[in-house]
Each structure stands twice: as structure tokens, then as C-alpha cells.
């Protein structure tokens, strides 16, 4: 916590990871101050090693500020410093599944988010018009906004390759997104959240990506409203869960993983798993291209070192489980192809 009990952060309404974190802070009753990406106040603040949104600023015991990024460890940092309304499930088996689904949302759903936004003309047009207006509360003039529209669009379109969106992978990304929202829609018929009656880190991760996919970018928003109305409505509720009261028995137990959750994990096993494994293999062999197959379709992209680390963290998390819990996780994942992730 920093600055008179207020957590300071920099972010943007267009950043899925910013939205993941601000919804979590609201749910956990952690007061915060959000600075937009070009707020004047930022000039006085330290820069993080990797410039990512959101950036959090923490005050040390001498009152010096330190900048930190990466939502997944930040969530665990807040779990240690602030108690109550935890987003980490109490059964280690469910905690592992939560970690996996959080990474799936952060690393795979984001491919759909980036792809739809910068691939289709309606979506490019909307993002180009709106995103530059979200950088500062001070109004900018029209000429400046038009120039920013061009700069933003050109830069982001030229970076589609980073997430692996291209002519070959477009149908794979879209197919996976559609199956995912259908599976989540079915799950939400019986459960308020992924792991029962209270939200976990993975719910906020999925919510973050869906604030864009279901609510902002016209092509996937239309799709989501039509194919998955529960998902569409869920996003607005997760946005502000400040009033939700929860108890320990609101979590699912690892002994009763419902079929609808297994269906979501099966979708994880179809795309994310083979691509994460092929990426790790390419990084290890120093190859220039990642090649994989998803549902009989080809996947090609440049290697992505950060996602190599993500796979490592998932494996470490699994290794940290007791032998009995590892067996329980393996039994659940066996049916879903996610077991292959664990080496
Ligand atoms: N793993 C990071 C990812 C954060 C991230 O990739 N943020 C994007 C915006 S949503 C970003 O800052 N990209 C760099 C850029 O836009 O220049 C997290 O979970 O916070």
C-alpha cells in the first residue's frame, strides 16, 4: 500500500490487465488511485524495468516508491499484505486449476483480444478512434487525435505477429474463442464463477480480457452477445463485486469438479496446451518459428520467451503440490490434454 492508504497504479480502460486488477481491487475493498497513461503526475514516479500496463507503485518503509508490473504475482502480493475476500481457492487442487485458468486467460485469450481488435476494419476503426482519447483526461485536439489514431493502429497491426495472429492462425484463434465462450456460458448456468460461488484470480483474468472482447471490440462483442449471453452479462457483474459477501464453503472442492468446468479445461487443452508446449520446445532448440497443430489446423508464430516462463511457473506450481494432490490434479487433467503441460 502506498500514499495515504491508497494503492497507486497506472493503467488504461483499454488494457485487459488493468481491468483485471481494478476489478480485483474493488472486490477486495483495496482503495486505489488509477492514473491514465499520460497523466502529468507520472513524470514524478519511478519507471518499471519492463514498461507494461498496469504498473503499480509501492512505498517502502522509507517512503520511497518502487514500480512493479505483472498482474499474476501482484495478486499474490496483495494476498499476503491484505486479508479477507481472498481470490486464491482453499483446496490446493482447485488452487492449481485456478493458476492454470488464470494463465490461459492472460496468455491465450489475449491472443483473441489482440487479434480481433487489429485484424478487422470495424474493430481497427473503433480502437483507433477511442484508444487515443483514453490516455489523458485533458482533452486533446482533433488533429492530434487523428495522428495518434494512425500511429496506434500502425504500431499495433505491425505487432500482431507477437501474439501469433496471422492468416494461418486467424481461424484457430477465432474457433477457440467461440468454443471457450460457449463452454463458459454453459458453466455459468450453474455456477456464479469458475470455482463456485466466489471469484478466483482466474475469474478476474478472464473478465479482464472479456471487458474488451465482449464489451468493446465490435466483432467479438457481437459474437459474444449472440452466442454466450450469460458471459456477456457476467462481465458487467464482475466489474464491481464490492458488495459480494463470501465464505470458505463457497469454493468448489477438488473432489467435485463439475462437467462444465471440465469442458472449459478441454478447450484449454485444444489450443493453449499444444502452442505453449511448441513454444517452449522452439525456445529450447533456439528455433526461429513455433509450429504446432490445433484441431487439425496449423499454428505458426515467432517464439515468445515470456510464455516459456509461464509454462515453467505452472510446472513449479504443480511440483509444489503434495504427492496426493498431484495425483488428484493429474486425474482431473487426464481427460483434458492439459496433463501434457506438466511434462
Ligand atoms: N503479464 C502482464 C501483461 C501486461 C501487458 O502485456 N500489458 C499490455 C497492455 S494490456 C502492455 O502494457 N503492453 C505493452 C505496450 O502496450 O506497449 C500482466 O499480467 O500484467
Amino acid at each position: 500500500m502506498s500514499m495515504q492508504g491508497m494503492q497507486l497504479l497506472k493503467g488504461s480502460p483499454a488494457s485487459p490487465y488493468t481491468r483485471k486488477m481494478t476489478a480485483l481491487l474493488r472486490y477486495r475493498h483495496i482503495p486505489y488511485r488509477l492514473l491514465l497513461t499520460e497523466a502529468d503526475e507520472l513524470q514524478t514516479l519511478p519507471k518499471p524495468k519492463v514498461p507494461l500496463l498496469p504498473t503499480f507503485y509501492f512505498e517502502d518503509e522509507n517512503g520511497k516508491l518502487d514500480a512493479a508490473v505483472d498482474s499474476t504475482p501482484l495478486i499474490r502480493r496483495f494476498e499476503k499484505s491484505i486479508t479477507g475476500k481472498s481470490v486464491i481457492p482453499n483446496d490446493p487442487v482447485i488452487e492449481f486449476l485456478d493458476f492454470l485458468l488464470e494463465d490461459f486467460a492472460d496468455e491465450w485469450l489475449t491472443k483473441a483480444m489482440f487479434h480481433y481488435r487489429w485484424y478487422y476494419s470495424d474493430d481497427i476503426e473503433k480502437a483507433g478512434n477511442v484508444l487515443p482519447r483514453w490516455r489523458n483526461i485533458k482533452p486533446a485536439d482533433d488533429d492530434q487525435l487523428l495522428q495518434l489514431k494512425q500511429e496506434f493502429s500502425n504500431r499495433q497491426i505491425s505487432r500482431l505477429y507477437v501474439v501469433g495472429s496471422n492468416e494461418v492462425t486467424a481461424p484457430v484463434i477465432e474457433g477457440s474463442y467461440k468454443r471457450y465462450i460457449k463452454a463458459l456460458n454453459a458453466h455459468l448456468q450453474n455456477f456464479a464463477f469458475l470455482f463456485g460461488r466466489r471469484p478466483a484470480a482466474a475469474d478476474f483474468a478472464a473478465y479482464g480480457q472479456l471487458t474488451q472482447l465482449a464489451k468493446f471490440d465490435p466483432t467479438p462483442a457481437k459474437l459474444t452477445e449472440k452466442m454466450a449471453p450469460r458471459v456477456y452479462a457476467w462481465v458487467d457483474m464482475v466489474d464491481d463485486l464490492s458488495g459480494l459477501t463470501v465464505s470458505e464453503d463457497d469454493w468448489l472442492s477438488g473432489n467435485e469438479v463439475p462437467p462444465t468446468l471440465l469442458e472449459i479445461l478441454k478447450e484449454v487443452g485444444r489450443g493453449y496446451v499444444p502452442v505453449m508446449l511448441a513454444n517452449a520446445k522452439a525456445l529450447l532448440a533456439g528455433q526461429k518459428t513455433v509450429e504446432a497443430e490445433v484441431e487439425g489446423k496449423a499454428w505458426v508464430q515467432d517464439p515468445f520467451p515470456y510464455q516459456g516462463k509461464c509454462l515453467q511457473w505452472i510446472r513449479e506450481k504443480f511440483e509444489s503440490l503434495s504427492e496426493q494432490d498431484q495425483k488428484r490434479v493429474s486425474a482431473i487433467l487426464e481427460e483434458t490434454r492439459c496433463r501434457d503441460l506438466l511434462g
Side-chain angles (χ1 to χ4, degrees):
M1 195 69 71
S2 61
M3 310 266 211
Q4 296 99 37
M6 288 275 202
Q7 177 60 54
L8 193 63
L9 73 147
K10 167 173 88 160
S12 160
S15 149
Y17 305 96
T18 301
R19 304 288 294 271
K20 172 186 178 184
M21 292 307 288
T22 51
L24 179 133
L25 296 172
R26 286 192 286 278
Y27 168 63
R28 298 205 61 214
H29 296 170
I30 302 174
Y32 64 93
R33 283 181 62 217
L34 172 68
L35 300 175
L36 294 175
T37 48
E38 290 196 343
D40 293 341
E41 205 175 322
L42 287 167
Q43 282 156 16
T44 63
L45 298 176
K47 306 258 175 298
K49 285 192 202 86
V50 191
L52 291 177
L53 300 180
T55 297
F56 278 70
Y57 304 92
F58 293 96
E59 205 169 73
D60 68 16
E61 57 276 17
N62 305 318
K64 198 172 153 286
L65 284 182
D66 188 29
V69 296
D70 208 346
S71 56
T72 301
L74 281 166
I75 288 176
R76 277 74 192 170
R77 185 173 176 156
F78 286 119
E79 288 284 323
K80 285 207 188 99
S81 59
I82 292 157
T83 53
K85 294 183 98 179
S86 166
V87 297
I88 307 299
N90 54 7
D91 178 332
V93 170
I94 297 291
E95 182 187 349
F96 178 81
L97 298 182
D98 173 51
F99 194 70
L100 177 60
L101 286 186
E102 181 180 3
D103 198 62
F104 165 81
D106 286 349
E107 306 303 328
W108 182 261
L109 277 186
T110 203
K111 293 184 191 299
M113 189 254 123
F114 208 78
H115 161 76
Y116 278 116
R117 175 165 296 169
W118 301 110
Y119 196 72
Y120 290 109
S121 54
D122 283 358
D123 305 73
I124 294 171
E125 181 65 17
K126 180 170 178 186
N129 282 332
V130 178
L131 269 47
R133 291 182 159 84
W134 276 344
R135 292 155 67 91
N136 200 328
I137 202 75
K138 283 194 287 198
D141 68 51
D142 285 347
D143 289 346
Q144 198 190 350
L145 287 167
L146 200 62
Q147 196 193 333
L148 280 170
K149 176 181 178 177
Q150 286 314 326
E151 281 173 22
F152 253 65
S153 309
N154 293 343
R155 186 174 74 117
Q156 299 297 71
I157 293 165
S158 76
R159 288 170 60 196
L160 273 172
Y161 78 93
V162 178
V163 300
S165 159
N166 52 54
E167 292 298 328
V168 176
T169 60
V172 175
I173 294 173
E174 295 184 12
S176 178
Y177 180 65
K178 289 177 203 163
R179 289 190 301 268
Y180 168 75
I181 54 171
K182 270 198 197 163
L184 181 57
N185 198 64
H187 183 72
L188 294 175
Q189 277 175 28
N190 292 318
F191 299 93
F193 301 102
L194 288 165
F195 303 108
R197 290 187 298 269
R198 58 186 287 176
D203 289 282
F204 290 102
Y207 155 84
Q209 302 299 326
L210 289 166
T211 56
Q212 313 300 309
L213 284 156
K215 295 286 155 172
F216 183 80
D217 299 297
T219 302
K222 239 180 269 155
L223 249 167
T224 311
E225 186 184 352
K226 208 164 132 218
M227 293 177 61
R230 282 178 191 276
V231 173
Y232 186 85
W234 183 80
V235 178
D236 296 308
M237 294 193 282
V238 179
D239 188 61
D240 190 346
L241 293 171
S242 57
L244 187 71
T245 51
V246 294
S247 74
E248 281 304 302
D249 40 86
D250 287 333
W251 292 118
L252 283 181
S253 139
N255 302 328
E256 45 164 1
V257 172
T260 50
L261 183 56
L262 274 182
E263 286 304 314
I264 294 172
L265 290 165
K266 278 185 192 162
E267 183 46 38
V268 174
R270 286 189 195 107
Y272 164 91
V273 169
V275 171
M276 290 293 272
L277 289 172
N279 182 58
K281 207 169 124 208
L283 287 169
L284 201 65
Q287 287 161 0
K288 286 211 173 66
T289 313
V290 176
E291 289 183 40
E293 203 179 283
V294 177
E295 294 292 277
K297 294 195 179 85
W299 181 277
V300 280
Q301 81 167 96
D302 285 19
F304 199 158
Y306 179 76
Q307 293 192 340
K309 283 198 213 160
C310 293
L311 178 59
Q312 202 47 46
W313 292 327
I314 289 171
R315 289 181 172 166
E316 284 168 13
K317 185 98 191 153
F318 182 73
E319 291 304 321
S320 74
L321 294 173
S322 71
E323 210 174 305
Q324 199 203 353
D325 288 338
Q326 287 187 5
K327 281 199 188 120
R328 290 165 69 210
V329 167
S330 291
I332 295 164
L333 296 187
E334 207 67 66
E335 297 175 55
T336 68
R337 276 193 262 169
C338 294
R339 179 71 191 80
D340 297 354
L341 270 186
L342 306 175

